[in-house]
């Protein structure tokens, strides 16, 4: 038997309407969460997130319209 891993899922909506689904470990400390990083990053800064395939993606904060928390997923 193995332990399940849980991920908090988000959708990042860009200014042009593109939606990117990203994930982070559910147990990640709040101060390291995607929302915290977004708040701490300047408008010319870059947000780094992880997509479903485990790939890191870099997005300029000024290109993000908003971030929506969606659900928790287990694998």
């Amino acid at each position: 038997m193995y332990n399940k891993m849980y991920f908090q899922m988000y959708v990042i909506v860009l200014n042009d309407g593109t939606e990117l689904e990203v994930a982070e470990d559910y147990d990640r400390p709040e101060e390291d969460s995607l929302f915290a990083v977004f708040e701490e990053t300047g408008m010319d800064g870059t947000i780094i997130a992880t997509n479903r395939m485990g790939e890191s993606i870099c997005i300029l904060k000024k290109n993000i319209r908003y971030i929506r928390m969606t659900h928790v997923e287990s694998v």
Side-chain angles (χ1 to χ4, degrees):
M1 186 156 182
Y2 64 94
N3 292 329
K4 285 188 174 184
M5 295 177 59
Y6 294 91
F7 295 93
Q8 179 64 59
M9 305 302 294
Y10 300 91
V11 173
I12 298 175
V13 180
L14 303 180
N15 292 332
D16 68 359
T18 301
E19 295 187 1
L20 305 170
E21 187 175 50
V22 299
E24 67 182 11
D25 292 335
Y26 183 75
D27 293 331
R28 180 179 297 232
E30 186 176 334
E31 61 270 9
D32 296 332
S33 73
L34 181 61
F35 285 127
V37 170
F38 182 80
E39 288 296 318
E40 294 169 2
T41 302
M43 283 307 287
D44 291 327
T46 302
I47 305 295
I48 300 172
T50 305
N51 66 16
R52 272 186 179 274
M53 299 178 66
E55 302 165 328
S56 293
I57 55 174
C58 300
I59 308 162
L60 289 173
K61 181 177 178 177
K62 65 183 176 185
N63 292 334
I64 297 174
R65 184 179 303 164
Y66 62 90
I67 300 173
R68 182 177 70 234
M69 186 182 295
T70 59
H71 63 283
V72 174
E73 196 168 284
S74 65
V75 286

